[in-house]
Amino acid sequence: MLGAALGVIAATALAVAPVQAAPAAAESTASVADRLVLEPTERGYRGSLEAEVTYQGSEPGRARYVITEPVPHSYVNLEWGISCYSGGTALPDGRIRVECDVPGGELQPGERRAFTIDFEVLTKVQPYAMKAVNGRLAVKVDGTTVTNESFRTRFRSSTGSLRDPQPYVRDTESDATLTSVGDLTLVRQPDGDFVGRLPVRVRYNGDAPHWNLNFVTSGLPEGVYESYTDPADGCAHFCVPGGQFMEDEERDFDVIFLAPAGTPLGDLGEAGLEVQVDWGNRADANPADNAGSFSVTAVDAA
C-alpha cells in the first residue's frame, strides 16, 4: 500500500558525542528526500517520502523520526499501525507533528536502513500541478538528532506534469450532509426478538480534513436500540463505515436495530438520526442538513 516516492536524496551527516557519552548514536547519519511527489490515483493523491538511516553505534539501538506533515491529515502511517507517540502536536494551521519509531525494530551496528513515510490527500485530481507548504522530517538515533530537513510537496497533474504548480488550498470547514434516511421496519425473528434495517445515505462536501463521520440516534421507542452497521463501522462507537471521505463522496450503509420480544406490533412513532464530523470541535459549515427523522414499525415475520 505504499505510494510512489520520488525526489533527490540529500545526505546530511552531523558529528555527535563520543562513544562513551552516546555510543549508539556516534557517527550515525541519515538522509531525507528533498521533495514529496503526490501522484494522482482513483481516490485523490498518494505519495511517499524516502529516508535512510545509517547506524554506527557499538550496541543495538533505536531510531525515531519526527514528521511535520505538509497538508493537514495527510500523514497516513498512523492508520497502518506504525508505533507513534501520543496523537501528535496540532499546529495552528491544522497540520500535525508526530514522533514515530523507524520501522523494523532495533538497528544493528553498521546497519543501513531505508524506510518510507506515506501520505494521502483525498481531494479531486486536477489537470494542473499543485504545491503545498514545506513539510519537515527529523531523524533521531537514541535521542540524538542526526538530520532535520524540510521537503517540498508537489501534486502531479492528471496529465503527468509537475510544472508551474498552483498553491493547493484545502477547505477549512467540514460539511457533512445526511442525504437520505429511510424508515425502520422491525421484523419478528423465530426467537421472538425483532431485527430491523435502516438505510442511510451520507455525503461529505469538499475536502476539509476529518477523521470519520459519526452518527447518533434520538427518540427511539423503548427497548429499541442500534446494534451495528452494515458494512461494519470498525470504530469504537457508531461511525459511518469506510473511514475518511474523498472530496464530495457519497456513501450508503445500513444501521441494524434490535428490539426485545415484548415489543408491540404496529406504528411505534418517529426517531431521529444526526451525522457529526469527528474532527477538532466537530463544527459543521451547514449543520441544518445533518439531521433527519424516520418512522419505526414492528411487524410479524412474513
Side-chain angles (χ1 to χ4, degrees):
M1 296 179 66
L2 299 180
L6 299 175
V8 179
I9 293 189
T12 301
L14 299 180
V16 294
V19 170
Q20 293 82 355
E27 299 181 359
S28 297
T29 61
S31 61
V32 178
D34 66 355
R35 187 173 68 170
L36 166 67
V37 176
L38 296 166
E39 303 285 351
T41 73
E42 293 181 355
R43 185 175 166 82
Y45 295 83
R46 296 191 71 91
S48 295
L49 186 71
E50 285 189 333
E52 186 177 87
V53 58
T54 301
Y55 180 67
Q56 298 294 354
S58 58
E59 300 291 338
R62 293 188 176 274
R64 295 179 181 178
Y65 63 84
V66 181
I67 183 70
T68 302
E69 59 183 3
V71 177
H73 201 186
S74 59
Y75 172 67
V76 295
N77 292 72
L78 278 171
E79 299 176 7
W80 299 350
I82 300 298
S83 179
C84 297
Y85 301 89
S86 76
T89 300
L91 304 180
D93 59 5
R95 295 181 297 149
I96 298 296
R97 179 185 297 118
V98 66
E99 183 170 339
C100 307
D101 286 335
V102 169
E106 283 191 328
L107 291 153
Q108 300 303 313
E111 181 180 353
R112 189 175 182 182
R113 184 180 300 174
F115 60 99
T116 56
I117 301 171
D118 310 305
F119 300 86
E120 179 181 65
V121 181
L122 296 179
T123 191
K124 290 180 180 178
V125 173
Q126 300 295 340
Y128 50 83
M130 296 186 291
K131 60 182 178 181
V133 300
N134 288 349
R136 179 167 287 273
L137 179 64
V139 178
K140 299 179 179 180
V141 175
D142 287 344
T144 299
T145 300
V146 296
T147 191
N148 190 350
E149 301 291 334
S150 65
F151 58 89
R152 297 171 294 154
T153 301
R154 295 292 184 268
F155 296 72
R156 192 182 299 277
S157 73
S158 58
T159 61
S161 175
L162 290 172
R163 300 185 59 180
D164 302 322
Q166 300 182 23
Y168 170 56
V169 181
R170 195 167 198 177
D171 292 338
T172 57
E173 285 191 296
S174 302
D175 187 8
T177 299
L178 180 61
T179 305
S180 66
V181 58
D183 291 318
L184 175 61
T185 300
L186 297 163
V187 181
R188 194 194 306 270
Q189 304 301 298
D191 63 359
D193 291 340
F194 290 81
V195 178
R197 183 179 291 265
L198 178 71
V200 178
R201 176 173 292 173
V202 171
R203 177 181 173 84
Y204 191 74
N205 308 295
D207 65 351
H210 61 288
W211 297 114
N212 292 295
L213 298 187
N214 297 330
F215 66 88
V216 295
T217 55
S218 60
L220 289 171
E222 184 177 358
V224 178
Y225 64 96
E226 65 267 32
S227 180
Y228 59 94
T229 61
D230 183 18
D233 54 22
C235 61
H237 190 54
F238 289 105
C239 62
V240 176
Q244 188 180 7
F245 276 65
M246 175 67 182
E247 180 180 3
D248 295 342
E249 179 183 355
E250 200 164 55
R251 197 175 292 172
D252 293 294
F253 65 101
D254 291 339
V255 185
I256 310 302
F257 289 81
L258 305 179
T263 301
L265 298 177
D267 183 2
L268 302 181
E270 284 197 344
L273 186 143
E274 180 181 355
V275 177
Q276 299 175 342
V277 178
D278 186 2
W279 178 260
N281 60 9
R282 303 187 182 185
D284 191 281
N286 186 20
D289 62 10
N290 287 36
S293 62
F294 57 94
S295 65
V296 184
T297 306
V299 299
D300 267 322

